[in-house]
Amino acid sequence: MPVFDYDPPDRFVAGAVGQPGARAFFLQARGQGRITTVALEKFQVAVLADRLDELLDEVLRRSGGRAPVPAMAPAELADEGPLDLPIDEDFRVGTMALAWDPETAQVIIEAQEATEDDEEDEPPLDDRPEPAVLRVRISAAAARAFSRRALEVVAAGRPPCPLCGRPLESEGHICVRLNGHHPGGLSA
């Protein structure tokens, strides 16, 4: 099983290529003179961003506010740049996992290669190679910044909420940072 390990990466971003409605989505890690690019679905990018925020909020809650976790994405960590070229897909993502390492105060993100077993309800065959894995270890602040950017990539032109960073998809936008109320008259 090839493991593409970045601890920490020089850069870790989500990005999309193509026109809205026909975009391809990617995660890309760069460091130590190499780049790893993995393809995934739009919903996987959105879920990853949401789960990162949930994980960080839970770490902050359980620590009583003492964990080195910012409540919002630090502006200085914003990465607005495009994906690095060339975009050579190393593999397509099947499953993802998140973890918090309290010893290093880092978030661990793993994206595992999709296999035929992901699509079938059969146990894996012993003669198949292990799937590839992209493993990235980043600070809580970098995770917040990644999450905000990933949500912007998913939104593709829809403006983000100025308070929570999530896309303003409709009049029913719920700003989780304000317990359901959004400035400008929008509310749940």
Side-chain angles (χ1 to χ4, degrees):
M1 156 176 77
V3 177
F4 303 95
D5 202 4
Y6 292 86
D7 182 13
D10 295 333
R11 183 177 194 224
F12 179 58
V13 294
V17 176
Q19 296 299 315
R23 295 184 296 162
F25 292 84
F26 300 94
L27 298 179
Q28 195 173 68
R30 179 182 70 209
Q32 303 153 350
R34 62 193 169 106
I35 296 174
T36 303
T37 304
V38 297
L40 68 170
E41 299 297 325
K42 179 180 178 177
F43 82 89
Q44 289 175 298
V45 176
V47 169
L48 176 59
D50 284 341
R51 296 301 182 266
L52 273 170
D53 281 337
E54 288 174 10
L55 173 72
L56 294 170
D57 290 346
E58 183 64 13
V59 167
L60 199 55
R61 185 189 69 74
R62 287 186 182 192
S63 74
R66 292 183 305 277
V69 176
M72 300 293 287
E76 65 273 10
L77 294 181
D79 186 338
E80 303 297 325
L83 294 168
D84 290 326
L85 298 175
I87 299 173
D88 294 325
E89 179 183 319
D90 289 290
F91 63 85
R92 178 158 287 283
V93 174
T95 60
M96 292 184 287
L98 295 176
W100 172 256
D101 183 345
E103 291 181 22
T104 62
Q106 288 181 313
V107 174
I108 304 164
I109 302 166
E110 286 192 359
Q112 183 174 311
E113 180 179 21
T115 64
E116 291 177 24
D117 297 328
D118 291 340
E119 299 169 11
E120 302 169 3
D121 291 333
E122 298 177 18
L125 299 175
D126 292 334
D127 60 345
R128 289 191 187 158
E130 290 289 320
V133 175
L134 169 62
R135 182 179 302 130
V136 178
R137 297 175 69 96
I138 56 176
S139 69
R144 284 279 193 217
F146 171 87
S147 175
R148 182 178 180 106
R149 177 64 182 148
L151 289 169
E152 290 170 358
V153 166
V154 168
R158 290 181 296 222
C161 168
L163 298 174
C164 72
R166 286 173 167 54
L168 293 173
E169 295 184 22
S170 67
E171 290 293 314
H173 172 76
I174 299 173
C175 183
V176 295
R177 301 266 185 238
L178 294 176
N179 296 323
H181 301 286
H182 189 281
L186 299 177
S187 64

